[in-house]
Amino acid sequence: MSSDRPFTAAELAQRERDQQDPVFLDWLSAMDDELKVFFNEDVPDMPADPWTEEGLRHAEHAALAYYWADDPMDLDWPERSTRFARYLGEVFVRSFEGTWKWIDVNRNGTKEPVVRRPATDVYFEVDRQVGAAMSARTGDKWAWLFEQSREHYERWVAAGRLSPDDWFEYELKHPH
């Protein structure tokens, strides 16, 4: 269960140590190989620049086709879903100065790879976004998230790349 209380200094120190967890480091080191499989097997017909809103929309349609295929017991879906999550997160890393983090977001003892964007303390939970897109079945959820993030990112850059706390205060004083 998620907690709304602020993190203690000890919890924040543990989060920093968690970034050196061998499980996470192995996951990160496999990124290029897993993305090659994604582009070669899962979505081989991506647009020329896959790291865009257009690429996200194309990938989401491909994910929907796999997820809602005739055989709902597709045994390849869990690995494929993880590759879609990697791709989705990597778009946000490359587009919005993000970094991959290994975080127990819900404080339940289970860590997962998430994307940390410097303008916010909220983590982009890629696995959750893959599942949400499969449930919504619109084909444009990831593109919409990208557009919202792009607008937010551009305002943050224009304001001088403020810290998350300062950015929050700035947004309160300068609504868009």
Side-chain angles (χ1 to χ4, degrees):
M1 173 183 274
S2 181
S3 172
D4 291 334
R5 70 171 171 74
F7 290 97
T8 66
E11 288 172 323
L12 291 173
Q14 181 60 51
R15 278 192 171 189
E16 286 305 312
R17 287 190 299 275
D18 288 345
Q19 303 319 299
Q20 299 306 311
D21 183 329
V23 173
F24 179 56
L25 295 176
D26 287 347
W27 186 90
L28 277 176
S29 71
M31 184 67 73
D32 290 343
D33 290 339
E34 291 294 315
L35 287 173
K36 281 180 190 171
V37 172
F38 175 80
F39 289 121
N40 290 329
E41 296 178 20
D42 298 326
V43 192
D45 59 345
M46 284 291 274
D49 183 358
W51 312 110
T52 62
E53 188 175 335
E54 178 188 6
L56 285 168
R57 188 172 280 109
H58 187 81
E60 185 173 340
H61 282 273
L64 285 165
Y66 283 121
Y67 188 80
W68 295 101
D70 292 335
D71 181 7
M73 299 305 290
D74 179 2
L75 298 178
D76 290 334
W77 175 250
E79 290 93 18
R80 194 174 281 136
S81 174
T82 299
R83 289 190 299 268
F84 274 95
R86 281 181 186 268
Y87 162 73
L88 175 61
E90 194 63 20
V91 171
F92 281 75
V93 165
R94 292 173 186 226
S95 300
F96 308 119
E97 299 180 40
T99 53
W100 285 103
K101 297 292 183 180
W102 187 240
I103 303 293
D104 180 3
V105 176
N106 295 316
R107 298 180 179 177
N108 63 5
T110 304
K111 295 178 200 88
E112 63 182 287
V114 297
V115 174
R116 167 79 163 80
R117 293 166 292 174
T120 179
D121 283 331
V122 177
Y123 294 102
F124 185 66
E125 299 175 59
V126 291
D127 285 340
R128 178 175 289 174
Q129 294 303 330
V130 169
M134 297 307 96
S135 294
R137 298 173 61 179
T138 64
D140 65 358
K141 183 166 184 50
W142 298 342
W144 182 84
L145 289 167
F146 183 88
E147 177 61 23
Q148 297 300 306
S149 295
R150 186 189 58 74
E151 290 173 6
H152 186 258
Y153 174 77
E154 288 174 355
R155 288 193 317 273
W156 174 74
V157 169
R161 290 184 162 86
L162 302 170
S163 71
D165 289 341
D166 290 343
W167 172 242
F168 179 77
E169 291 297 322
Y170 179 89
E171 283 276 83
L172 290 176
K173 293 176 185 169
H174 304 90
H176 53 278

